Amino acid sequence: MSGITIKSASDIEKMDEAGRIVEETLNLLAKSAEIGMTTQELDDIAASYIKSRGAEASFLNYNGYPKSICTSINAQVVHGIPGHVRLKDGDILSLDVGACKNGFHGDAARTVLIGNVPEETQELVRVTKECFFEGIRFAKPGCRISDIARAVQAHAQAHGYGVVRDLVGHGIGRHMHEDPEVPNFWDNTRFGRGARLEAGMTIAIEPMINLGTHRVYQLDDGWTVVTADGKPSAHYENTVLITEGEPRLLTLHEEEERA
Ligand code: MF3
Ligand code: CO
């Protein structure tokens, strides 16, 4: 038996609202992030914006997580905790935001460039976004989670990148993390055949792609995940609704942001 939930029309309306708030918060953070700023200042901006929209930050207090957003710099893959560190020229910054409104969550992430970033790292950021769009070609009824995973993996590996295996995307709805798991690589022995997708499912597809090795580890803070070789990592995520036709991106409404 699968625990995957199918959302009703009214659930979807609420998820769209939560998704819009996440998208607007990310756009505000991307505009605000600049050299010399601390990641805590970005957390403050996000916290007050999410509140002003009548929503709650999904991450705050989640399993004891202490902040409203995640800010992961350079070799930090995900779950970087905002704090006193200042952004500097040449950094890449992965911003991950979740918001809950009327009982439903939205979750999305973007990696942004701070100042003058080396071309090799810019390419990583571009290709990570492309990996997401390769994946959603299979986000339709009749396809399986494994089709999405394999498409993401193939695009990343064609560029010689490492695909993070220790963290995966997820179903989302009344809970931030629901079934099914949505990996960015596929291993039959670990995952089996993978769930078949149906209209009304909502999933967060979130490639985490490394310039070097796929291997990662967690810092002593209990959250921050970093690459094993210290090379940069990028993250790109949207909350996606499966429909009978094309998938609907609940955290990406602005057409010009699409690949
Ligand atoms: N967006 C992340 C995810 O999909 C959530 C951050 S973990 C938290 O798992 F603890 F900070 F919430
Ligand atoms: Co997520």
Side-chain angles (χ1 to χ4, degrees):
M1 214 206 75
S2 137
I4 303 175
T5 58
I6 300 294
K7 276 71 179 183
S8 69
S10 101
D11 295 345
I12 290 163
E13 221 173 283
K14 291 171 188 148
M15 288 196 67
D16 188 72
E17 170 73 2
R20 274 179 201 278
I21 295 167
V22 168
E23 176 177 4
E24 290 163 7
T25 307
L26 281 167
N27 290 344
L28 176 62
L29 293 172
K31 262 197 326 204
S32 306
E34 55 179 40
I35 297 167
M37 196 171 198
T38 68
T39 49
Q40 179 59 55
E41 291 175 86
L42 293 170
D43 192 77
D44 293 341
I45 290 168
S48 77
Y49 185 74
I50 292 168
K51 191 168 169 224
S52 79
R53 297 286 273 104
E56 283 174 20
S58 305
F59 303 172
L60 185 63
N61 299 322
Y62 179 85
N63 291 337
Y65 186 73
K67 300 289 176 175
S68 294
I69 62 171
C70 299
T71 51
S72 307
I73 299 173
N74 299 333
Q76 298 180 347
V77 179
V78 288
H79 303 169
I81 305 172
H84 298 301
V85 59
R86 287 184 191 280
L87 300 175
K88 57 182 198 311
D89 189 27
D91 282 347
I92 59 170
L93 169 67
S94 296
L95 297 160
D96 194 345
V97 173
C100 185
K101 184 154 184 191
N102 296 319
F104 285 87
H105 294 265
D107 183 10
R110 313 274 184 259
T111 299
V112 300
L113 310 177
I114 306 299
N116 218 345
V117 172
E119 177 53 39
E120 183 185 41
T121 309
Q122 289 190 37
E123 175 81 1
L124 170 72
V125 173
R126 272 197 302 273
V127 171
T128 301
K129 180 175 179 178
E130 287 171 9
C131 283
F132 170 86
F133 285 93
E134 286 296 313
I136 61 164
R137 292 172 50 217
F138 299 93
K140 30 183 81 160
C143 292
R144 290 179 184 272
I145 290 293
S146 51
D147 298 318
I148 297 174
R150 286 199 182 95
V152 170
Q153 178 178 15
H155 191 63
Q157 289 179 344
H159 291 263
Y161 297 146
V163 179
V164 174
R165 301 174 176 210
D166 294 359
L167 297 129
V168 297
H170 48 92
I172 179 168
R174 286 192 181 276
H175 305 277
M176 181 168 66
H177 293 143
E178 298 185 356
D179 283 344
E181 288 196 329
V182 184
N184 298 300
F185 73 104
W186 200 256
D187 174 350
N188 276 318
T189 62
R190 179 165 158 191
F191 300 117
R193 285 186 77 190
R196 206 181 270 285
L197 295 164
E198 288 173 37
M201 291 179 178
T202 43
I203 56 175
I205 301 175
E206 48 178 315
M208 291 156 266
I209 308 296
N210 299 346
L211 188 60
T213 178
H214 73 270
R215 285 179 300 110
V216 300
Y217 65 94
Q218 192 177 66
L219 298 185
D220 287 340
D221 65 15
W223 288 101
T224 314
V225 175
V226 300
T227 59
D229 59 8
K231 292 186 179 174
S233 180
H235 187 201
Y236 188 88
E237 174 182 22
N238 283 301
T239 297
V240 178
L241 168 69
I242 310 300
T243 78
E244 293 298 343
E246 291 302 309
R248 221 171 105 191
L249 306 188
L250 302 181
T251 49
L252 186 58
H253 297 80
E254 288 181 30
E255 204 56 46
E256 65 269 25
E257 288 297 319
R258 296 175 188 232

